Amino acid sequence: MASAATQSMATDAIPSYQRVEPGSVNIDVEDLTKIETEQPKDIDKATEEWASTFNKAIQSHDHAGLTDLFLPNAFWRDHLCLTWDFHTMKGTDKIKEFVAQGGGCRLKNIEVDRSSDFRKPVVAGFDGQGKVQGVQTFLTTESDVGRGMGVARLVQTEGKLKAFTLFTSMRELKGHEEATFGRRPEGVSHGGQPGRKNWQERRIADENFEDSEPTVLILGAGQGGLTPAARLKMLGVSTLIIDRNERVGDNWRQRYHQLTMHDPVWYDHLPYINFPANWPIFTPKDKLAEFFETYAKLLELNVWTSTEIKASNWDQSKGQWTVVLERRNEPGVVETRTLHPKHIIQATGHSGEKNFPSHIPGISGFKGDRLCHSSEFTGAKMDGKGKNAIVVGCCNSGHDIAQDFYEKGYDVTMIQRSSTCVASSKAILEIGLAGLYDEQGPPVEDADVAFWSIPASVLKSIQIDVTAAQNKHDEKILQGLEKAGFKLDQGPDRAGLFMKYFQQGGGYYIDVGASQLIADGKIKIKQGQEIAEVLPHGMKFADGTELSADEIIFATGYKNMRTQTRKIFGNELAEQVNDVWGFDEEGELRTMWRKTGHPGFWFFGGNLALCRYWSRMVALQIKALEEGICKYDDR
């Protein structure tokens, strides 16, 4: 993207809300005010003419004619229709250059999609306020190897429609479509077959890989493991998930007592099986864990719990791994299996190892009731009256834990070292996600295509408007927080928590009640001071002040995913894979869900919504590799 620059100055010279993952880009804010907003008289006819001219250009390799269909500073964002990677090209020169590479455009045809009111050509706002308007239409796409969907945002200039943004995203590979609906399995083989197994027997044999080995091995049975496994199953790719926990869903069950999802149900559906119509808007952790366990059973995903990797090695000549697993089938019984998958997906969570500040002087000498990382916090004790608690960190987990302490009668103080981006769940529901992920919204996969069709710098511009509207909605509580000494920020370039999540992976709080407790003084704030020392019964700060504590919880987040790669697979692999998370120069997220730099090794993580969309992308890449449709080094 134009002028997007890697952050290279000293970290302490950059405000915390502007920081990015090391080596990544603080993406530009696109100026949407430059877009002319004249509308064609006949939207359907003008859109059809644009699509027809587009097809003629790509089919005749007329690259100059193709770029004439775009505004000079237009965007083309592509997920697997043009190459086997994710790209965003800005400007007609970049688009022309990219399409001309590799022997021409893989995309062969597009059609205007009128299959629903949401998909058909309509006048829509391109900015966050609805002031900049143009024509938005969904598309169906066909490439040399697959079919997909797309979205075009078009504006009229010189009497013709031109694209401001174009998005193309593969949905299926030709000849290797998902085994759903009309392609569903029969479930039985009729006729006389002496000794044949019933479904239960076949299921047990499949799950245990009695006569076969998995093509893909996935580490982690949370949303990051279940969703790609589900997509791969529908594509006929043999997959095994392993998890060290005893049950599917334990990664949620074992978290702190009061944890509830901060994202609404409409944003969180999983592939193939939506949450039921009576599902609560915000899902409690244990309910989500039960759903995960049921999801794995209903989709017949192969999961080995109580299983860990003990050794692994990649054979470049064979293009496969040798992996030694230890599986605890029952107490005292350990089975060792050696498998040879061609792909490993590390789905051990959005981040890596816990970020625990063990370097703080005195931390090992704490003599109170509990000192731990938030990932180990099981909940505040019921008899908290007269007890003091300190929570270090002011993002989602820190707020939830502090609220739990308060509700159990503790005197609780949160330690806020920098600043936090705060938006109420109500503002996000009524403003941030409204019209896309809500009760009256489109089917969730249509919503995903609409959302991911927006280039990152355009999304950032939109989110500046959305954040301003959310702040106005939350004005009273935000003023209360500031009066209580809580330091607020508006995210990178005032683009709010969405962009802070994408650029930093954290640094925000979706308010579900703790903000009012802070504003009322019921949860105290210690702001802007580093911890100098952990005392036997408290904490000392850089300004010399002290706080007493019976319990100290460090809600200090997690390290980069590569830390777990290093721990599980060793230094050699960890050094070969690329950095994870944060934007690259084009505005695509780095390394996640795409080639990592090591054949046969993939990173997968994110919230439920990210996992829903990107699980299809990683499954299509693996299926294409396995069917010989592409090679790892292909463009």
Side-chain angles (χ1 to χ4, degrees):
M1 288 209 164
S3 74
T6 302
Q7 212 168 75
S8 58
M9 69 180 74
T11 301
D12 57 4
I14 303 170
S16 63
Y17 55 85
Q18 288 290 114
R19 293 175 191 166
V20 298
E21 288 288 327
S24 68
V25 168
N26 180 15
I27 209 70
D28 290 340
V29 178
E30 184 67 16
D31 184 359
L32 303 183
T33 63
K34 296 178 180 179
I35 302 174
E36 297 181 11
T37 58
E38 181 185 355
Q39 306 302 324
K41 293 180 180 180
D42 189 333
I43 291 175
D44 284 331
K45 181 180 178 182
T47 306
E48 198 65 56
E49 288 176 352
W50 180 87
S52 176
T53 307
F54 183 96
N55 286 332
K56 290 177 182 177
I58 59 174
Q59 290 164 8
S60 63
H61 305 289
D62 180 6
H63 301 140
L66 177 66
T67 54
D68 189 50
L69 295 169
F70 291 82
L71 295 177
N73 288 319
F75 296 85
W76 187 343
R77 188 177 198 185
D78 178 70
H79 292 167
L80 304 183
C81 287
L82 297 179
T83 72
W84 293 106
D85 200 358
F86 316 132
H87 291 283
T88 300
M89 292 73 71
K90 181 179 181 181
T92 51
D93 288 344
K94 286 284 184 68
I95 291 171
K96 181 179 179 180
E97 178 186 354
F98 192 88
V99 171
Q101 290 175 1
C105 184
R106 278 179 40 191
L107 195 65
K108 302 303 179 186
N109 187 69
I110 65 170
E111 292 184 9
V112 176
D113 188 344
R114 295 184 173 85
S115 59
S116 72
D117 287 343
F118 185 72
R119 294 183 179 186
K120 70 181 183 181
V122 295
V123 175
F126 293 171
D127 63 335
Q129 300 181 53
K131 294 180 179 179
V132 180
Q133 296 194 334
V135 177
Q136 175 178 295
T137 184
F138 272 61
L139 306 167
T140 60
T141 69
E142 183 176 356
S143 71
D144 54 348
V145 296
R147 304 177 191 89
M149 293 176 67
V151 176
R153 294 181 178 86
L154 311 165
V155 297
Q156 183 164 283
T157 178
E158 299 175 356
K160 296 190 300 182
L161 285 182
K162 293 197 175 188
F164 166 55
T165 70
L166 175 63
F167 177 61
T168 46
S169 176
M170 186 186 288
R171 310 293 285 177
E172 62 184 14
L173 291 164
K174 294 178 181 178
H176 305 282
E177 294 82 4
E178 291 185 340
T180 57
F181 299 106
R183 299 184 181 89
R184 70 178 75 225
E186 288 192 15
V188 66
S189 180
H190 296 292
Q193 299 179 38
R196 64 174 170 166
K197 296 178 180 178
N198 69 5
W199 173 86
Q200 183 67 29
E201 291 168 324
R202 294 196 305 271
R203 180 75 198 103
I204 292 171
D206 288 345
E207 188 171 33
N208 290 324
F209 287 90
E210 292 179 1
D211 302 311
S212 63
E213 290 198 13
T215 301
V216 180
L217 178 67
I218 300 178
L219 279 67
Q223 66 265 18
L226 295 174
T227 51
R231 299 285 193 188
L232 287 162
K233 182 178 180 64
M234 301 307 165
L235 292 174
V237 179
S238 177
T239 302
L240 171 64
I241 306 171
I242 64 169
D243 197 294
R244 61 187 178 186
N245 290 317
E246 292 183 5
R247 295 171 61 189
V248 173
D250 276 354
N251 64 314
W252 286 98
R253 266 187 213 97
Q254 294 172 1
R255 297 190 67 186
Y256 52 90
H257 186 67
Q258 295 292 352
L259 174 61
T260 299
M261 297 292 288
H262 291 207
D263 300 322
V265 60
W266 311 287
Y267 186 65
D268 285 343
H269 292 301
L270 297 186
Y272 311 112
I273 303 177
N274 282 1
F275 292 111
N278 68 333
W279 200 260
I281 294 175
F282 300 104
T283 308
K285 69 176 183 74
D286 298 290
K287 191 173 181 68
L288 183 64
E290 296 298 309
F291 188 86
F292 278 10
E293 198 165 42
T294 302
Y295 183 84
K297 290 180 179 179
L298 290 175
L299 291 182
E300 300 180 19
L301 306 182
N302 301 319
V303 185
W304 291 2
T305 54
S306 302
T307 302
E308 295 185 70
I309 289 181
K310 290 301 178 181
S312 63
N313 181 65
W314 170 256
D315 188 326
Q316 182 66 40
S317 63
K318 295 181 178 179
Q320 68 180 29
W321 294 88
T322 298
V323 182
V324 180
L325 304 177
E326 280 192 359
R327 182 186 186 191
R328 299 184 300 281
N329 292 315
E330 55 185 89
V333 178
V334 177
E335 174 191 12
T336 300
R337 288 281 297 271
T338 300
L339 300 176
H340 302 88
K342 294 184 177 180
H343 304 269
I344 290 178
I345 300 176
Q346 181 184 320
T348 49
H350 172 93
S351 305
E353 294 289 293
K354 61 187 178 184
N355 189 23
F356 185 74
S358 56
H359 64 280
I360 296 176
I363 198 167
S364 61
F366 183 67
K367 299 187 182 304
D369 299 333
R370 172 167 49 181
L371 185 151
C372 68
H373 187 264
S374 57
S375 61
E376 302 158 332
F377 179 74
T378 54
K381 299 173 184 176
M382 295 300 296
D383 56 346
K385 192 171 183 179
K387 297 275 190 177
N388 296 310
I390 293 176
V391 180
V392 181
C394 284
C395 298
N396 279 337
S397 294
H399 279 83
D400 287 350
I401 292 168
Q403 185 171 342
D404 188 18
F405 274 129
Y406 167 77
E407 290 172 350
K408 299 300 193 305
Y410 287 73
D411 185 308
V412 57
T413 301
M414 294 180 75
I415 311 304
Q416 187 192 34
R417 294 163 296 163
S418 54
S419 61
T420 309
C421 183
V422 176
S424 70
S425 60
K426 188 175 182 181
I428 292 172
L429 284 176
E430 296 180 1
I431 300 170
L433 299 178
L436 201 59
Y437 298 100
D438 61 21
E439 196 71 66
Q440 287 74 44
V444 69
E445 293 213 343
D446 283 7
D448 287 344
V449 172
F451 178 81
W452 289 107
S453 71
I454 305 171
S457 63
V458 177
L459 178 65
K460 197 170 193 179
S461 178
I462 293 170
Q463 287 300 309
I464 291 173
D465 292 333
V466 170
T467 300
Q470 290 178 168
N471 288 346
K472 186 175 182 180
H473 178 282
D474 293 340
E475 185 175 11
K476 184 177 179 181
I477 191 62
L478 295 179
Q479 289 175 351
L481 287 172
E482 289 185 320
K483 288 179 181 178
F486 190 93
K487 189 174 182 179
L488 296 167
D489 69 58
Q490 307 305 317
D493 300 308
R494 302 184 66 81
L497 62 84
F498 246 122
M499 300 309 296
K500 202 169 187 186
Y501 174 66
F502 288 141
Q503 292 194 188
Q504 296 185 12
Y508 60 88
Y509 171 52
I510 300 175
D511 179 27
V512 292
S515 289
Q516 190 62 55
L517 296 176
I518 294 170
D520 292 342
K522 295 174 180 177
I523 294 175
K524 300 179 180 66
I525 295 295
K526 178 74 173 177
Q527 209 289 322
Q529 291 296 322
E530 293 295 332
I531 301 166
E533 181 182 1
V534 173
L535 305 173
H537 295 282
M539 188 174 284
K540 185 175 181 179
F541 299 90
D543 62 358
T545 59
E546 298 180 6
L547 288 174
S548 61
D550 299 285
E551 299 192 36
I552 299 175
I553 311 299
F554 286 93
T556 45
Y558 299 84
K559 299 177 182 178
N560 191 283
M561 281 187 81
R562 289 175 68 185
T563 60
Q564 283 200 315
T565 306
R566 193 176 303 277
K567 181 178 179 181
I568 298 169
F569 297 100
N571 292 331
E572 184 177 354
L573 176 60
E575 292 302 322
Q576 289 184 48
V577 296
N578 301 320
D579 287 325
V580 185
W581 292 116
F583 288 116
D584 64 18
E585 293 285 345
E586 292 184 349
E588 297 294 333
L589 289 166
R590 299 183 305 166
T591 310
M592 187 63 60
W593 321 301
R594 59 202 295 196
K595 297 170 186 175
T596 61
H598 188 293
F601 187 82
W602 308 80
F603 284 117
F604 199 96
N607 61 27
L608 275 71
L610 268 66
C611 289
R612 180 180 58 245
Y613 176 82
W614 292 101
S615 56
R616 184 192 299 273
M617 296 296 108
V618 75
L620 288 171
Q621 292 174 81
I622 290 174
K623 180 67 173 178
L625 287 166
E626 288 307 299
E627 295 297 334
I629 298 171
C630 69
K631 297 178 181 178
Y632 190 81
D633 293 329
D634 283 353
R635 175 174 177 262

